[in-house]
Amino acid sequence: WDGNKQWNTNGIIISDEQNDQTNFSFAFNETNTKSLIVWEDFRNGQNFEIFGQVLNVDNGALSGDHIQFTSVVNDSLHNYMPVVENVVANEFMVIWEDGRGYINEDPLLINGVDLYGSGYKIGQGMTTDVNGIPICVAYHKQQNVNITHHSGQEFFLDWVDYRSSGKEDLANYYGRTIMKADLLSSGSQCFNCDVPTEFSLKPAYPNPFNGKVTFEFEMPAKEAVEFRIYDITGRVVADKLILPGFGGSYRVSWDGLNRSGQLVPSGI
């Protein structure tokens, strides 16, 4: 960081696997001591997958084996353009364009790449299963995703979306909020603790509220939660994707703002 070159004169090898490794992205942890590097990898000779590696910034050492974020779903499908962002401390999220959209049985969703994501925590491993979770599954293709830090552990995703396409490609601009819930307790952090096997939600508090309302819930390991607030008529007021984590008790708050960032009026 002081402007001096580090490590070997000719650099270090991140990956020298067979075939191509291309289109990489990287992000640093909060202390700027570790970096997660991800890329498209054609080592299997059939399709591009997403792999990663943890780099020690201080000495140029690698963590060991490559991290495999995606595996072969179909030998004609590819995963493209990974983007990685630090969420908190040593935890990262990775989002990529995923070719599973080409084999969707729903005619309203088929024919294109969708957005999928995965999580990784240095020292603990994947917070999602291999091949990740769906971020956006829609008709045709969703591409060129960006991740922008908003506030706290909340991020905004935006991408070019072609779901309106008919005889020609029509590009629209879509986005969504993605966030990390506060971990209250985890079965992986104590001996003989029960890890939740299904989602459950506790009553909101305080209720009624002025300024902020809090929700506590149990979340199974490696599963995402769609967090939505509805008004009394059934309209969606707030919509966020809560990133997966290790199974346990979590907490998330809502500040009374709708999807446009406006304070909603009092009501139910």
Side-chain angles (χ1 to χ4, degrees):
W1 302 110
D2 57 7
N4 294 318
K5 288 192 295 184
Q6 305 266 18
W7 320 329
N8 298 336
T9 301
N10 294 318
I12 60 175
I13 297 173
I14 304 298
S15 175
D16 57 358
E17 295 291 332
Q18 293 184 352
N19 301 312
D20 290 333
Q21 288 81 48
T22 186
N23 289 335
F24 67 90
S25 174
F26 66 92
F28 297 103
N29 63 357
E30 288 186 346
T31 58
N32 290 328
T33 56
K34 301 284 182 67
S35 177
L36 177 62
I37 307 169
V38 297
W39 62 85
E40 295 174 17
D41 199 301
F42 200 66
R43 67 180 65 183
N44 65 35
Q46 294 179 309
N47 62 338
F48 279 102
E49 299 169 318
I50 307 300
F51 276 79
Q53 179 66 275
V54 176
L55 170 70
N56 186 314
V57 179
D58 292 329
N59 58 22
L62 301 175
S63 60
D65 295 336
H66 290 164
I67 308 157
Q68 187 168 4
F69 289 100
T70 65
S71 185
V72 177
V73 177
N74 180 294
D75 61 13
S76 64
L77 302 180
H78 300 278
N79 303 303
Y80 297 112
M81 303 300 294
V83 179
V84 60
E85 181 65 45
N86 175 243
V87 177
V88 58
N90 286 315
E91 190 165 344
F92 298 82
M93 62 175 161
V94 182
I95 298 177
W96 63 87
E97 300 168 17
D98 195 293
R100 275 173 277 182
Y102 285 104
I103 58 173
N104 199 307
E105 296 179 357
D106 188 338
L108 298 178
L109 299 176
I110 199 170
N111 189 32
V113 294
D114 299 313
L115 298 180
Y116 277 74
S118 192
Y120 185 82
K121 190 169 186 177
I122 296 176
Q124 293 185 255
M126 300 273 287
T127 59
T128 52
D129 291 323
V130 173
N131 293 324
I133 59 168
I135 302 296
C136 178
V137 177
Y139 175 70
H140 210 17
K141 54 189 178 183
Q142 289 75 47
Q143 296 179 308
N144 302 327
V145 64
N146 296 301
I147 306 175
T148 304
H149 180 236
H150 177 232
S151 63
Q153 298 178 34
E154 190 167 293
F155 298 80
F156 185 73
L157 307 184
D158 63 273
W159 63 89
V160 178
D161 196 299
Y162 293 88
R163 70 182 67 182
S164 298
S165 299
K167 294 181 179 179
E168 60 180 346
D169 281 347
L170 300 174
N172 297 130
Y173 194 45
Y174 275 70
R176 76 172 309 182
T177 302
I178 192 167
M179 65 185 299
K180 182 74 179 174
D182 295 324
L183 177 63
L184 300 178
S185 64
S186 173
S188 64
Q189 296 176 340
C190 61
F191 182 70
N192 268 346
C193 289
D194 293 330
V195 178
T197 58
E198 60 184 23
F199 175 85
S200 63
L201 179 67
K202 297 179 180 179
Y205 66 89
N207 185 15
F209 73 97
N210 182 14
K212 183 171 70 173
V213 61
T214 298
F215 303 87
E216 292 185 5
F217 56 92
E218 303 283 332
M219 183 166 68
K222 301 184 177 182
E223 292 188 12
V225 172
E226 296 278 356
F227 176 79
R228 296 190 182 97
I229 302 290
Y230 295 86
D231 68 12
I232 194 67
T233 66
R235 292 177 299 183
V236 177
V237 176
D239 181 10
K240 303 177 182 183
L241 177 68
I242 299 177
L243 289 168
F246 301 107
S249 298
Y250 287 84
R251 177 176 60 206
V252 65
S253 297
W254 179 54
D255 55 8
L257 300 179
N258 63 18
R259 289 186 289 182
S260 299
Q262 300 169 327
L263 187 64
V264 300
S266 298
I268 299 176

